[in-house]
Amino acid sequence: GQSLEQPSEVTAVEGAIVQINCTYQTSGFYGLSWYQQHDGGAPTFLSYNGLDGLEETGRFSSFLSRSDSYGYLLLQELQMKDSASYFCAATSSNTGKLIFGQGTTLQVKP
Amino acid sequence: DVKVTQSSRYLVKRTGEKVFLECVQDMDHENMFWYRQDPGLGLRLIYFSYDVKMKEKGDIPEGYSVSREKKERFSLILESASTNQTSMYLCASSFSGANTGELFFGEGSRLTVL
């Protein structure tokens, strides 16, 4: 089977740093993506890790460890607008098929 | 800008009706996807198409079928709608291959089956 596990909820204060973890089990694995979704909106792509290590894009960073079947999304200098759901997704075939986790709801408080 | 357009934002159907959800993308993407999203369950893959007339079942294909006659269009069909198919349906597209992980989503179609 294929599954991705992430925490259901995370709360943090404005200006803080938060890490959202994701562990995965897939029959084939090519890389890990992260998506953001605001209430009522469509998911939007944040980052992709095809290789082990850290990828940085502005305030957001994403990390992958293939040996641990684990990744995380790191959000720095949190802003109120970062309150949203965050999904990890595994590319599970060489055609680009994506399987998503259940999502983590991040609430940023003043 | 990549645009993925879903034909209906909101639909209300009756149990047993046949339902068509249409999705069109304008970026010449090889891959197209249909997901459903329910609270607490994330996005679950219904079907995936990696080329015209090519399809692959996702995690929850039961009760659904798909059609991809043209590269830009991917249709989801509910042959006989049931109340447990009330959900938000999201279409997405991407380039072929496993090296970007980037999907482009439509705005979603919220289906209510009475």
Side-chain angles (χ1 to χ4, degrees):
Chain A
Q2 302 180 102
S3 67
L4 294 94
E5 297 289 331
Q6 51 183 127
S8 57
E9 292 181 4
V10 173
T11 302
V13 296
E14 217 174 353
I17 299 172
V18 72
Q19 179 174 311
I20 299 173
N21 298 320
C22 175
T23 57
Y24 60 86
Q25 276 188 309
T26 61
S27 53
F29 178 81
Y30 289 80
L32 195 69
S33 306
W34 289 91
Y35 286 77
Q36 179 191 62
Q37 185 180 32
H38 286 101
D39 273 350
T44 56
F45 173 80
L46 292 176
S47 68
Y48 175 74
N49 293 73
L51 301 173
D52 282 4
L54 194 67
E55 295 281 341
E56 297 180 76
T57 310
R59 294 186 298 114
F60 294 1
S61 304
S62 58
F63 172 82
L64 175 66
S65 168
R66 288 171 173 267
S67 59
D68 296 320
S69 298
Y70 164 77
Y72 66 73
L73 179 70
L74 191 74
L75 298 85
Q76 302 182 75
E77 300 171 21
L78 280 174
Q79 301 175 9
M80 297 298 292
K81 67 178 182 179
D82 297 328
S83 293
S85 293
Y86 293 84
F87 295 89
C88 58
T91 301
S92 63
S93 78
N94 60 2
T95 54
K97 178 179 173 182
L98 251 74
I99 303 297
F100 281 75
Q102 295 180 333
T104 299
T105 301
L106 171 63
Q107 185 178 17
V108 180
K109 295 186 172 180
Chain B
D1 273 357
V2 174
K3 194 166 176 70
V4 179
T5 304
Q6 296 184 226
S7 54
S8 305
R9 289 297 306 274
Y10 300 95
L11 304 93
V12 180
K13 298 292 181 180
R14 297 210 173 271
T15 302
E17 278 193 76
K18 190 168 186 175
V19 182
F20 292 87
L21 299 179
E22 305 283 343
C23 177
V24 177
Q25 49 93 6
D26 65 359
M27 278 301 289
D28 203 34
H29 285 162
E30 291 82 9
N31 293 346
M32 295 190 77
F33 304 76
W34 276 106
Y35 294 90
R36 67 176 279 178
Q37 184 171 23
D38 302 286
L41 297 178
L43 282 75
R44 292 181 291 168
L45 182 63
I46 305 172
Y47 268 99
F48 164 57
S49 171
Y50 51 91
D51 202 348
V52 175
K53 299 194 179 184
M54 305 303 288
K55 63 186 178 186
E56 188 175 318
K57 290 181 180 179
D59 294 328
I60 52 164
E62 297 79 18
Y64 304 94
S65 62
V66 289
S67 172
R68 185 128 181 243
E69 296 295 319
K70 293 185 177 181
K71 191 175 186 180
E72 68 270 19
R73 186 179 298 269
F74 192 35
S75 303
L76 180 70
I77 303 151
L78 289 69
E79 293 289 343
S80 177
S82 63
T83 54
N84 62 13
Q85 293 178 309
T86 292
S87 187
M88 171 66 84
Y89 290 88
L90 290 163
C91 175
S93 70
S94 73
F95 288 110
S96 181
N99 58 353
T100 70
E102 182 173 10
L103 302 188
F104 297 86
F105 282 88
E107 290 300 310
S109 299
R110 184 166 292 282
L111 172 66
T112 301
V113 183
L114 302 175

